[in-house]
Amino acid sequence: MKLTPSQMAWRAAQDIADGAYVNLGIGFPEMVAKFQPPGREAIFHTENGILGFGEAPAAGTEDWDLINAGKKAVTLKPGTAFFHHADSFAMVRGGHLDVAILGAYEVAETGDLANWSTGPKGVPAVGGAMDLVHGARQVAVLTDHVTKDGKPKLVQRCSLPLTGVGCVTRIYSSLAVIDVSLGRFVLREKLAELTLEGLQALTGATLHLDGPVADLTVSEL
Amino acid sequence: MDKTLPDLATAVAGIDDGMTVMIGGFGGSGAPIELVHALIDRFLATGHPKDLTVVNNNAGNGHVGLAALIEAGMVRKLICSFPRSADPVVFTEAYRAGAIELELVPQGTLAERIRAGGAGIPAFYTPTSFGTDLAQGKPVEEFEGRPYVQERWLKADVALVKAHLGDRLGNLTYRMAGRNFNPLMCMAAAQTIVQVSHIVEPGGIDPEAVVTPGIFVQGVVEVASPAQEEDLNRAGAVYPEAAA
């Protein structure tokens, strides 16, 4: 009883307005591009210097100078623009992006995000995540509601190294849509078959209510 | 004025032990693989250069390009944002063995530090990394009520860059997302050496289309049909090829 990554991506895509400039993080968030509602045109930004790229090419037709931040091949569309890395991150930090959608290890009710390091073991790698959490008008997170072993990923305070402080504005989880506002989680939508108490039990901080909670309804994808 | 160089060996001849070398590219796109391989050839022939500090977004992939440079034991320190790739085994093993030092820098901060180095700006403030481990020890100041972290410029002795078209004056264009860090690194190094797919006559690049003006470039060498790291890795390439 939870949304698949595709379903989470579909739900996040419904909130992207016509004309929005959007950066999608590596991994699950990349799928959001597939679910743009008809009639809306969003322009996708990738850190390595492309605005307005198209879908993945057919296997065997890749051009390896035309890749996204995940190093996957993409395609040109009419209106594509290229630029260097300093301009790319001017778009990020300068407040020119409308939405950034990222993955998460943990999100705190304060809006703190941890998504770059699982601790001292392993090789640390940060990429553009610390830049992306600053600047975009909305920083949304797409994540399973709990870890693989059932622990809450939505918590009072992050235990893992932070990517950014007070930066997350909305969470699209596998169970709910939650806004982060004034240091609180505010529940907006939840799966209809889940009780409020059931959802709260899977959440590491208090879920606040501010108006009615809608059913989170996504068809099979 | 003629900045063209006759061959790759000449292009990398001035790189000495202990230098800081910026290498362009984001993953394989825009990575000057032939220049890097020429540097490895020189090391294998002469034992130099070694103890290099390399600046790149990544840490190499497979056993070619930057990964091969690390595998050859030429790199003392890497400054990068994302030392992971499809096949990061070379860097990962060197790092775990304590054979290479890592300075991890957020990608946008890395780009801006390089830009600042080229633009004569010794330090700047960014919101990126505030409140995180990567801001430790750095000055923080508030502007319009928000905290910002001070970051310093990054400069290099040499930049190795890949471009598409170049002329003898050093004017450059790039190919698609192969642009990435390359124009910034051109600005930030004392010696910028560029491999281009085609050398054209001055005027062969529309002045409106010049991305890097020649003032930022010291040497241009033609490498027609350059290899793509992704193609090499899919073919299982190793540099240098093992002796038969």
Side-chain angles (χ1 to χ4, degrees), chain B residues 5-6 29 50 61 63-64 76 87 99 106 135 147 149 185 207 209 223 244:
Chain B
L5 301 167
S29 72
K50 55 182 163 44
N61 189 10
H63 300 271
V64 297
R76 183 184 65 77
D87 178 11
V149 177
M185 290 180 172
V223 178

Side-chain angles (χ1 to χ4, degrees), chain A residues 129-211:
Chain A
M130 284 191 186
D131 306 279
L132 282 163
V133 297
H134 297 287
R137 274 183 273 280
Q138 293 177 57
V139 176
V141 158
L142 202 68
T143 181
D144 264 311
H145 203 86
V146 296
T147 63
K148 287 197 176 70
D149 49 4
K151 295 201 182 75
K153 295 180 80 167
L154 280 56
V155 295
Q156 286 184 312
R157 297 291 180 271
C158 294
S159 62
L160 292 168
L162 293 183
T163 306
V165 175
C167 53
V168 175
T169 57
R170 177 163 259 212
I171 301 160
Y172 301 98
S173 88
S174 49
L175 303 178
V177 177
I178 294 165
D179 281 335
V180 182
S181 174
L182 305 173
R184 306 182 312 164
F185 288 138
V186 180
L187 181 62
R188 299 299 182 190
E189 301 175 17
K190 66 170 180 61
L191 292 179
E193 55 268 49
L194 200 59
T195 64
L196 184 56
E197 293 71 29
L199 183 64
Q200 181 63 71
L202 296 168
T203 309
T206 304
L207 292 168
H208 294 265
L209 301 183
D210 177 15

Side-chain angles (χ1 to χ4, degrees), chain A residues 26 47-50 62-71 76 82-86 89 93 105 116 122-128 130-131 134-135 161-165, chain B residues 26-27 29-30 58 81-84 91 95-96 104 106-109 111 115 126-134 146 175-181 184 228 230-231 234:
Chain A
I26 296 172
E47 295 96 296
N48 55 313
I50 318 177
E62 299 94 345
D63 184 324
W64 297 113
D65 282 334
L66 190 56
I67 59 173
N68 65 16
K71 292 43 173 221
L76 296 173
F82 297 123
F83 36 87
H84 62 58
H85 250 83
F89 281 89
R93 281 185 251 93
Y105 298 143
W116 73 281
V123 178
V126 65
M130 284 191 186
D131 306 279
H134 297 287
L162 293 183
T163 306
V165 175
Chain B
F26 179 88
S29 72
N58 301 99
S81 87
F82 202 75
R84 286 191 203 140
F91 174 80
Y95 181 75
R96 292 219 166 110
L104 193 71
Q107 197 173 133
T109 297
R115 198 199 70 81
T126 174
T128 302
S129 90
F130 173 75
T132 77
D133 294 349
L134 297 188
R146 281 187 65 193
R175 193 168 172 276
M176 301 200 274
R179 183 178 307 197
N180 57 66
F181 285 90
L184 308 173
Q228 285 284 12
E230 185 72 27
D231 292 329
R234 286 180 179 215

Side-chain angles (χ1 to χ4, degrees), chain A residues 10-40:
Chain A
W10 180 91
R11 177 61 191 85
Q14 306 315 302
D15 288 346
I16 297 175
D18 186 41
Y21 286 91
V22 181
N23 182 293
L24 302 176
I26 296 172
F28 292 160
E30 288 178 55
M31 291 194 290
V32 171
K34 289 198 298 193
F35 298 116
Q36 278 189 89
R40 289 191 222 165

Side-chain angles (χ1 to χ4, degrees), chain B residues 40-134:
Chain B
I40 295 170
D41 291 347
R42 199 177 136 227
F43 175 74
L44 294 175
T46 69
H48 307 283
K50 55 182 163 44
D51 296 327
L52 299 174
T53 294
V54 169
V55 183
N56 182 266
N57 185 62
N58 301 99
N61 189 10
H63 300 271
V64 297
L66 175 54
L69 196 75
I70 295 168
E71 199 160 32
M74 299 167 66
V75 183
R76 183 184 65 77
K77 179 180 178 182
L78 185 68
I79 302 175
C80 81
S81 87
F82 202 75
R84 286 191 203 140
S85 64
D87 178 11
V89 64
V90 169
F91 174 80
T92 303
E93 285 183 0
Y95 181 75
R96 292 219 166 110
I100 192 165
E101 187 184 337
L102 172 67
E103 180 180 341
L104 193 71
V105 183
Q107 197 173 133
T109 297
L110 182 64
E112 193 63 16
R113 287 179 64 192
I114 297 167
R115 198 199 70 81
I121 305 290
F124 58 92
Y125 286 88
T126 174
T128 302
S129 90
F130 173 75
T132 77
D133 294 349
L134 297 188

